[in-house]
């Protein structure tokens, strides 16, 4: 009897001790918890602000024009009347494209700020390019590359006629761009193919926003043609590099130059033929 009482007392003591111990520990942590406040996983519940798409896609436009015969000149079994009709249809198709906006790469225009004048100056420098059209001869004009793609990059050891060896860096790239039609409302300097535009901007705003400014060419497709070009550089001892750049350019009526904020896509300012343009 005494042994049974002792056993009961022992069980009661264990139960009471377990309750006290559980009370002292407080509420238990979920399995795997470290006891510290958990941080939400990166990217969960966080809204990432996506930058706006600026301008039209010149790659898609040129692809569409080529598929529609934009690279074709007068074909062998095509009469002059048929060719003129096809060109007329191309002009009508170009008119239906409406206004196009092409944003220049950030390193194409020069942006120079004058704190004294509280003005931002934009300098545009086009490149004089020889352009070819299948069956239509060649021409030259002011071009802007909207998109440049590196096709390949390699190196080799070259030797000149005197046995001098150099390591040559070789690149092949592709330009897609616009050919500024001479009769455009907004024109470039005929000799230097450049233009300058200025607009007012206070110093603090310029300091913050200059690196986000982008320059866009606004206008219309002159006709549904695509011109090709090929340019390059041959290596020398002094300049041991080789480059080949193949280009596709569309005839473009430049009607306006816009300055955009790449963070928002908003127009900061614009320049039209009625405004004073420095050259």
């Amino acid at each position: 009897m005494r042994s049974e009482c002792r056993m009961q007392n022992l069980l009661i003591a264990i139960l009471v001790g377990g309750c006290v111990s559980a009370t002292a520990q407080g509420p238990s942590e979920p399995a795997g918890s470290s006891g510290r406040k958990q941080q939400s996983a990166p990217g969960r519940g966080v809204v990432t602000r996506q930058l706006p798409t600026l301008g039209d896609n010149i790659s898609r436009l040129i692809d569409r024009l080529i598929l529609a015969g934009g690279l074709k000149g007068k074909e062998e079994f095509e009469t002059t009347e048929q060719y003129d009709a096809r060109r007329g249809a191309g002009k009508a198709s170009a008119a239906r494209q409406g206004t196009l906006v092409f944003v220049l790469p950030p390193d194409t225009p020069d942006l120079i700020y004058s704190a004294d004048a509280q003005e931002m100056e934009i300098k545009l420098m086009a490149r004089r390019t020889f352009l070819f059209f299948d069956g239509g001869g060649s021409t030259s004009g002011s071009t802007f590359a909207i998109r440049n793609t590196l096709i390949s990059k390699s190196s080799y050891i070259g030797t000149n006629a005197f046995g001098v060896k150099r390591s040559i860096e070789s690149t092949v790239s592709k330009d897609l761009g616009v050919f500024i039609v001479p009769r455009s409302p907004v024109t470039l300097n005929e000799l230097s193919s450049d233009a300058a535009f200025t607009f007012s901007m206070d110093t603090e705003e310029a300091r913050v926003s200059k690196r986000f400014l982008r320059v866009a060419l606004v206008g219309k497709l002159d006709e549904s043609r695509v011109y090709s070009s090929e340019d390059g550089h041959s290596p020398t001892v002094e300049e041991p590099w080789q480059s080949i750049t193949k280009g596709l350019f569309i005839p473009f009526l430049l009607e306006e130059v816009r300055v955009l904020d790449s963070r928002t896509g908003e127009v900061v300012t614009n320049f039209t033929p009625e405004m004073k343009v420095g050259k």
Side-chain angles (χ1 to χ4, degrees):
M1 183 72 178
R2 289 182 180 177
S3 64
E4 290 179 359
C5 290
R6 282 198 298 269
M7 183 62 70
Q8 290 176 354
N9 291 336
L10 179 60
L11 289 173
I12 293 172
I14 291 173
L15 290 173
V16 173
C19 292
V20 172
S21 175
T23 304
Q25 288 177 7
S28 61
E29 295 283 350
S33 172
S34 63
R36 292 174 296 182
K37 185 176 181 180
Q38 298 295 306
Q39 300 291 329
S40 59
R44 293 182 182 176
V46 177
V47 178
T48 303
R49 185 170 175 271
Q50 197 170 21
L51 293 177
T53 300
L54 303 179
D56 291 291
N57 189 316
I58 194 167
S59 301
R60 293 177 183 173
L61 176 58
I62 288 179
D63 285 345
R64 289 201 305 268
L65 292 176
I66 292 175
L67 286 174
L71 277 172
K72 291 181 181 179
K74 185 179 178 300
E75 297 177 340
E76 181 181 4
F77 301 104
E78 184 179 39
T79 66
T80 301
E81 184 179 355
Q82 290 171 331
Y83 174 60
D84 289 341
R86 183 159 59 85
R87 284 196 65 185
K91 286 181 177 291
S93 175
R96 289 194 295 271
Q97 291 287 339
T99 299
L100 298 167
V101 179
F102 295 119
V103 179
L104 296 172
D107 59 349
T108 296
D110 289 329
L111 276 68
I112 305 168
Y113 185 72
S114 170
D116 293 327
Q118 299 276 289
E119 287 182 341
M120 184 74 76
E121 181 181 35
I122 296 173
K123 291 185 177 180
L124 290 179
M125 175 68 75
R127 185 174 62 188
R128 296 295 295 183
T129 306
F130 287 100
L131 301 165
F132 303 90
F133 183 73
D134 181 25
S138 62
T139 185
S140 64
S142 302
T143 62
F144 288 98
I146 305 300
R147 181 176 180 180
N148 175 269
T149 303
L150 179 64
I151 305 300
S152 65
K153 185 176 182 180
S154 60
S155 62
Y156 63 91
I157 301 299
T159 307
N160 69 2
F162 301 98
V164 178
K165 294 184 177 182
R166 288 287 187 273
S167 176
I168 309 298
E169 296 291 330
S170 177
T171 59
V172 178
S173 59
K174 182 179 181 180
D175 280 345
L176 300 178
V178 296
F179 156 47
I180 305 301
V181 177
R183 58 187 181 85
S184 293
V186 175
T187 58
L188 306 176
N189 186 292
E190 293 182 4
L191 298 177
S192 59
S193 294
D194 66 354
F197 310 87
T198 59
F199 60 97
S200 299
M201 179 175 278
D202 67 69
T203 304
E204 189 56 37
E205 183 183 2
R207 181 183 289 111
V208 173
S209 63
K210 179 181 176 181
R211 64 193 179 100
F212 298 107
L213 298 180
R214 299 291 182 268
V215 178
L217 306 180
V218 183
K220 293 183 176 64
L221 188 63
D222 186 45
E223 61 176 317
S224 296
R225 272 193 172 193
V226 179
Y227 291 84
S228 62
S229 70
E230 185 168 329
D231 195 9
H233 176 271
S234 298
T236 64
V237 174
E238 292 77 18
E239 298 179 332
W241 54 276
Q242 180 182 31
S243 69
I244 298 175
T245 303
K246 297 182 178 182
L248 294 174
F249 295 89
I250 55 177
F252 192 66
L253 284 165
L254 182 60
E255 299 176 334
E256 179 187 349
V257 175
R258 288 180 191 168
V259 181
L260 307 174
D261 188 325
S262 62
R263 295 167 294 183
T264 62
E266 294 179 354
V267 178
V268 176
T269 189
N270 70 321
F271 304 92
T272 59
E274 296 75 24
M275 298 178 179
K276 183 180 179 181
V277 178
K279 295 183 180 179

